[in-house]
Amino acid sequence: MLCLGFTQQLHAFCLNLKKIPALSFYMCGIIGYVGKNSATPILIDGLKRLEYRGYDSAGIAVRGKSAFTVVRRVGRVDQLAAAVAKAKPVGSLGISHTRWATHGGVTEKNTHPHVSSDGKFALVHNGVIENYQSIKKFLIEKGYTFSSETDTEALSNLIAYHYAKEPQQSGTSCFAESVRKSLLHVQGTYGIAVICLDCPMELVGARKGSPLIIGVGDEENILASDVSAFAMRTRNVVYLNDGEVVHIRPDGFTISTITQEEVAAVVQEVDWNIEDSELGTFKNFMEKEIFEQPAALENAMRGRFSDDGSTAMFGGLNLSSKELRYVDRILLCACGTAWHACLVAEYLIERYARIPVEVEYASEFRYRNAPIDKNTLVFVISQSGETIDTLAALKEAKRKGFRTLAITNSVGSSIARETDGGIYQHAGQEVGVASTKAFTSQILISAMVALYLGRLRDLSYEEGRTMVDALRSVPNHVKEILKQADYIKSIADRYAHFKDFLFLGRQSMFPIALEGALKLKEISYIHAEGYPAAEMKHGPIALICEECPSVFLVTGGEIMQKTLANIQEVKARKGPVIVIGPKHCREEIQADEYIEIPDVHDAVAPILATIPLQLLAYHSAVKLGRDVDKPRNLAKSVTVE
Ligand code: F6R
């Protein structure tokens, strides 16, 4: 946000926020347009920018003179764009959707938009209409027909049903009202954009559970799942809250709740760097984002150290030093890569702040009903701020009365709005589905949190200053490691044909081993496992052979000799060994490949060790011809349980 800090934004957001129970969601991207320009190119451009949210199929509906032109394709937005170029939909009002299927197979019939059987309404939807079967049954009895397996079609027909029942003085007034009335009957979740054949310049949207944002333009307005869809056209945005319906025209919009209370819109200007969503000279976003890490790490630290350089400072925690001193325990919750960041944070906070930490998968925590001490601080980490399980874990912790904090990269996201306080990463938009710069920035911020909490307890002034110096040096060290990209590519080229990899590390390098394995498997589809190096002997050592390379993460600290012994155990069984380790150990370690990282403070070593792993995974995937930015079966933001 341009003008607001985390605290103020939280205030602005939280004041109006209606709490809803967490349910499951579709993960998809939607964009709708109404205005003075031709809708089609704006919608297609927006879909391309939203494609990271899901890429099974995509569709568009544009209102022409007397009918909708609907084009839908299974596959990527490029395939839709090619079909749209032939169909040439003309009109200034339209909606579109890129899908990650959960409900109904990946077929053209199930692809959004869904048009009501009377042809009056076209609708795109993120979410799950849980009671769609009963709505469908009711509508079939009334003569409405269905052509897809989706729940969404029940909603487009339900809107048509309510519209047909309204006294038709003017189509304009009935449209939004019919949407609102329909939503009163819907159980489940939705972010929707709807257009009506009778209303040439009107777009209606509503949100419950899935993000929906209005882009306020010059004689045009846009409705989308996130800002990236329209940031080229406008930076003025309104974040819709759950339970709100918006009725949009080219020159304005009105928001109300589905229970008909008026809502005062707060237009905010977002700070959006358009270069974040452009590839520039890079081949794909993952490569670009790996190389953006020095800048992302600088941004995570900017203005966050005390003048005397002995501790970190955060503006948005909303907790005084006194309150933080009473924290007896920290519970960290996240999913996927962000969960790995939590594991590193556990190590850092326990070591430097001496506060006991537990790490939970958000998806487990939310249903586990674990006993938690009353002075526990619940801390979630989420790049997108939209991961459904992390959001639900946060809500569950709040419901139980715990203080909550979040580290997130997404200003205005659901998690940013729900948490009591937090820290923005300022890493810039992460488009590649595999998290890279967000992960290292999360670790850096965790180290700063450990420092801050440590300095409120037993960490000395001198130790604080040493740690601040170490943190400040990280971006330059990362730049140096990135210079080895060609060397790491040559290793990847030689090893990409292997079918199994082990990633092994001890202490804070264990989560980095997990992350290295996750990165490799998700983008190259090579099977990989991360393990604590010493645990290897309790099972995984059975996998070691000439065909199973092990990637060892070595730190120069007191456990170095132990890790070296583990390397020997692998070598003795003819397993190829790739080591990521400090310069001074190079001679001592008998590795087949050795990637050097600088000798640094223990608190920042995990960040540096991550960079070669990202490059190894990236170049292996490229060598195997994978779609690095959009790996199969995945989507960037996991908003389904
Ligand atoms: C893997 C990856 C995912 C995410 C996970 C959580 O590269 O990106 O594992 O880390 O889906 O996402 P956020 O951080 O958005 O909550």
Side-chain angles (χ1 to χ4, degrees), residues 334-357:
C335 300
T337 284
W339 184 79
H340 297 157
C342 289
L343 292 178
V344 182
E346 174 185 29
Y347 174 86
L348 295 170
I349 294 171
E350 290 194 340
R351 173 156 187 175
Y352 297 105
R354 313 292 305 155
I355 302 173
V357 176

Side-chain angles (χ1 to χ4, degrees), residues 335-339 381-387 390 415 430 433-436 442 515 518-519 522 635-638:
C335 300
T337 284
W339 184 79
I381 301 184
S382 173
Q383 187 285 130
S384 63
E386 299 294 345
T387 300
T390 311
I415 286 175
E430 196 177 62
V433 162
S435 187
T436 52
Q442 285 160 359
E515 175 63 4
L518 177 62
K519 259 344 47 128
E522 72 178 325
K636 181 75 182 156
S637 182
V638 180

Side-chain angles (χ1 to χ4, degrees), residues 48-49 52 227-229 231-232 272-280 285 288-289 292 428-431 437:
K48 285 184 178 162
R49 293 172 193 281
Y52 70 91
V227 181
S228 64
M232 296 291 279
W272 187 265
N273 182 2
I274 209 70
E275 283 167 15
D276 282 349
S277 49
E278 304 286 337
L279 268 180
F285 282 103
K288 176 174 180 258
E289 287 155 9
E292 279 173 351
Q429 193 193 6
E430 196 177 62
V431 179
K437 63 178 179 176

Side-chain angles (χ1 to χ4, degrees), residues 11 36 48 51 139 157 159 188 220 262 283 306 326 348 375 383 387 396 453 461 519 541 549 584 640:
H11 259 305
K36 61 185 176 186
K48 285 184 178 162
E51 199 175 13
L139 290 167
N157 274 331
I159 294 168
E220 63 179 16
E262 271 180 38
K283 287 189 279 302
S306 62
Y326 286 111
L348 295 170
N375 292 333
Q383 187 285 130
T387 300
E396 178 63 4
L453 295 175
Y461 174 81
K519 259 344 47 128
I541 199 163
H584 76 266
V640 279

Side-chain angles (χ1 to χ4, degrees), residues 111-396:
T111 302
H112 300 216
H114 289 285
V115 177
S116 57
S117 65
D118 64 1
K120 288 253 179 194
F121 294 91
L123 180 143
V124 288
H125 168 223
N126 297 344
V128 174
I129 314 287
E130 293 181 344
N131 58 338
Y132 81 101
Q133 297 283 19
S134 57
I135 295 174
K136 193 168 170 178
K137 188 164 172 283
F138 168 81
L139 290 167
I140 288 171
E141 279 163 16
K142 300 283 172 200
Y144 290 83
T145 56
F146 288 78
S147 59
S148 78
E149 301 155 336
T150 66
D151 52 344
T152 302
E153 205 180 0
L155 185 53
S156 57
N157 274 331
L158 187 61
I159 294 168
Y161 166 78
H162 279 289
Y163 187 75
K165 276 197 352 184
E166 289 287 327
Q168 300 291 320
Q169 297 130 352
S170 101
T172 303
S173 59
C174 302
F175 172 26
E177 187 54 12
S178 306
V179 175
R180 191 192 65 76
K181 282 190 178 155
S182 302
L183 293 175
L184 288 174
H185 298 279
V186 165
Q187 286 162 17
T189 57
Y190 47 80
I192 54 168
V194 198
I195 53 178
C196 172
L197 207 52
D198 292 341
C199 309
M201 294 309 266
E202 290 174 47
L203 173 65
V204 172
R207 167 190 168 148
K208 183 179 159 197
S210 295
L212 205 55
I213 302 163
I214 308 163
V216 184
D218 173 21
E219 290 178 60
E220 63 179 16
N221 288 304
I222 304 171
L223 195 59
S225 305
D226 77 41
V227 181
S228 64
F230 56 69
M232 296 291 279
R233 307 190 69 81
T234 179
R235 309 285 165 87
N236 294 325
V237 306
V238 175
Y239 292 90
L240 282 189
N241 290 311
D242 283 330
E244 291 179 355
V245 182
V246 61
H247 187 184
I248 307 178
R249 298 182 188 80
D251 56 355
F253 55 89
T254 48
I255 305 177
S256 60
T257 64
I258 65 165
T259 49
Q260 284 182 300
E261 291 154 41
E262 271 180 38
V263 175
V266 184
V267 182
Q268 311 193 37
E269 195 179 346
V270 284
D271 190 6
W272 187 265
N273 182 2
I274 209 70
E275 283 167 15
D276 282 349
S277 49
E278 304 286 337
L279 268 180
T281 55
F282 289 94
K283 287 189 279 302
N284 47 53
F285 282 103
M286 184 175 176
E287 185 191 33
K288 176 174 180 258
E289 287 155 9
I290 289 173
F291 279 86
E292 279 173 351
Q293 287 176 107
L297 294 163
E298 285 288 2
N299 289 342
M301 290 187 285
R302 184 155 296 126
R304 286 180 171 161
F305 291 123
S306 62
D307 288 344
D308 66 357
S310 73
T311 190
M313 309 180 306
F314 302 103
L317 293 184
N318 297 341
L319 280 169
S320 66
S321 313
K322 201 168 176 183
E323 285 169 309
L324 282 165
R325 280 209 49 94
Y326 286 111
V327 170
D328 287 341
R329 186 169 284 274
I330 294 176
L331 178 69
L332 291 162
C333 269
C335 300
T337 284
W339 184 79
H340 297 157
C342 289
L343 292 178
V344 182
E346 174 185 29
Y347 174 86
L348 295 170
I349 294 171
E350 290 194 340
R351 173 156 187 175
Y352 297 105
R354 313 292 305 155
I355 302 173
V357 176
E358 272 171 71
V359 179
E360 290 260 12
Y361 281 116
S363 52
E364 293 295 317
F365 170 74
R366 61 182 292 199
Y367 293 118
R368 211 162 69 80
N369 201 21
I372 315 174
D373 292 351
K374 67 176 185 328
N375 292 333
T376 300
L377 180 66
V378 178
F379 215 133
V380 302
I381 301 184
S382 173
Q383 187 285 130
S384 63
E386 299 294 345
T387 300
I388 180 64
D389 284 320
T390 311
L391 177 61
L394 177 70
K395 287 181 175 175
E396 178 63 4

